[in-house]
Amino acid sequence: MSDTETIQIPHLGGSTIGYRFGKAYDASLPTLVMVNSFSTSVELYRPQFVDEKLSATANLLALEPYGHGRTRATYGQFTYWDSAIAGLQVLDALGISGAFVLGTSQGGWIAARMAMLAPGTVKGIIPLGTSMDFESQRSRDLGCWDGVEFCTPAIDALAASVSDDWVIPVELVDAVLAEGFGEDVPAEDRAFWHETHQKNYTGDDGRARLRISSINLRDRDGLHGRLDSVQCPVLWMHGTADRVYSVANAQDEITLFVNSAGAELRVVDGGQHFLSATDPDAVNAATVEFINRWK
């Protein structure tokens, strides 16, 4: 797998976007953009990059949203709409005229925003373990988590400036891992994500990026009223063991893609919230099938 690279785009006063191709770009293949979950980075898609059938089906291009990995912007404030615009500008900068977009958790609503903004560019979206709502009472009534309760303590704790030697507390990393991977995170994976987070979130800049990312998660706008503008096909995959967003919520929201060329929900038995990482065999096989059907 190639190293993470960066590319310059004009959005937000000029931005540096972290990205990674699985292998050298092949113009004869469709492209699959992959957008990572909260506080993670392109490394979330290690199971996708090593899948030979998926790699033979599409160019695999992981993009890091604002506040994540190596992505930086001149402006300190950003939203999920900004990350969607950035993803489209990266495609333009790379000379890629169309792509499928897969997104894990927050990546799912970035994928949906990309489809809304550029229906001629986005050929299909694959949201994984996500929700199209804001952190509403409706979603909690359907068995989803309380995102306000989860995020607010971290937002408050990250409010004050810190010194250059600050790194993200492992307690916060472990809280994210528990929600994304479940309680039984292998020791090797836990150590990997501790190290990765503590490389990406250091000093006062790291604190500020993490805080805005947490605010975005807690305070984002819902997409229900906009989903009828998604015209491309949708394959939503959701695990039954997802601790953040429920299957019941996914079953309700897939029906809102009323103008999609084809909207399908696939439930993965035992699947966790970061489904691309915990259940890659199911995700990868379904993604290959989806791309081959709609390319």
Side-chain angles (χ1 to χ4, degrees), residues 149-172:
E149 181 180 74
F150 181 87
C151 294
T152 298
I155 292 168
D156 292 345
L158 295 167
S161 297
V162 295
S163 61
D164 290 342
D165 61 355
W166 181 88
V167 294
I168 183 175
V170 294
E171 295 81 7
L172 180 53

Side-chain angles (χ1 to χ4, degrees), residues 23-275:
K23 59 183 181 181
Y25 177 74
D26 182 348
S28 69
L29 295 177
T31 295
L32 176 66
V33 170
M34 303 181 294
V35 186
N36 54 272
S37 54
F38 174 74
S39 79
T40 66
S41 54
V42 294
E43 285 81 13
L44 183 73
Y45 293 110
R46 292 176 296 162
Q48 282 65 52
F49 283 121
V50 299
D51 187 296
E52 294 183 0
K53 190 169 184 180
L54 182 59
S55 296
T57 300
N59 298 295
L60 303 183
L61 171 59
L63 298 181
E64 294 172 329
Y66 286 111
H68 294 74
R70 295 182 64 184
T71 292
R72 303 287 186 274
T74 300
Y75 301 155
Q77 296 288 333
F78 50 83
T79 70
Y80 293 117
W81 288 103
D82 292 308
S83 289
I85 292 168
L88 295 168
Q89 289 189 358
V90 168
L91 288 175
D92 186 59
L94 292 172
I96 300 173
S97 61
F100 295 86
V101 185
L102 177 150
T104 303
S105 187
Q106 68 172 10
W109 52 73
I110 293 172
R113 284 168 168 82
M114 290 176 70
M116 294 171 192
L117 291 168
T121 299
V122 177
K123 306 304 181 184
I125 61 173
I126 307 170
L128 306 174
T130 192
S131 169
M132 297 294 150
D133 201 358
F134 66 99
E135 291 299 333
S136 69
Q137 185 60 53
R138 170 204 155 274
S139 67
R140 290 190 288 274
D141 289 344
L142 285 172
C144 300
W145 75 338
D146 188 333
V148 176
E149 181 180 74
F150 181 87
C151 294
T152 298
I155 292 168
D156 292 345
L158 295 167
S161 297
V162 295
S163 61
D164 290 342
D165 61 355
W166 181 88
V167 294
I168 183 175
V170 294
E171 295 81 7
L172 180 53
V173 180
D174 284 336
V176 172
L177 296 180
E179 298 299 331
F181 293 90
E183 291 293 346
D184 298 324
V185 183
E188 182 179 354
D189 288 345
R190 188 180 299 277
F192 173 84
W193 284 113
H194 282 179
E195 180 181 1
T196 301
H197 278 76
Q198 293 193 326
K199 286 180 179 177
N200 291 335
Y201 295 108
T202 65
D204 199 52
D205 175 70
R207 173 205 62 83
R209 287 185 290 106
L210 182 59
R211 186 168 191 265
I212 298 300
S213 297
S214 302
I215 291 170
N216 285 341
L217 177 56
R218 184 189 68 180
D219 297 346
R220 71 185 184 279
D221 55 321
L223 298 178
H224 284 184
R226 304 177 190 264
L227 292 179
D228 61 356
S229 67
V230 175
Q231 301 171 19
C232 66
V234 179
L235 172 61
W236 185 325
M237 300 186 70
H238 213 99
T240 59
D242 192 315
R243 294 167 45 140
V244 178
Y245 300 121
S246 67
V247 171
N249 182 68
Q251 289 170 331
D252 185 55
E253 291 186 324
I254 193 67
T255 66
L256 301 179
F257 290 94
V258 294
N259 291 319
S260 164
E264 177 188 358
L265 172 65
R266 292 195 190 180
V267 176
V268 179
D269 187 39
Q272 297 283 346
H273 183 50
F274 291 172
L275 197 62

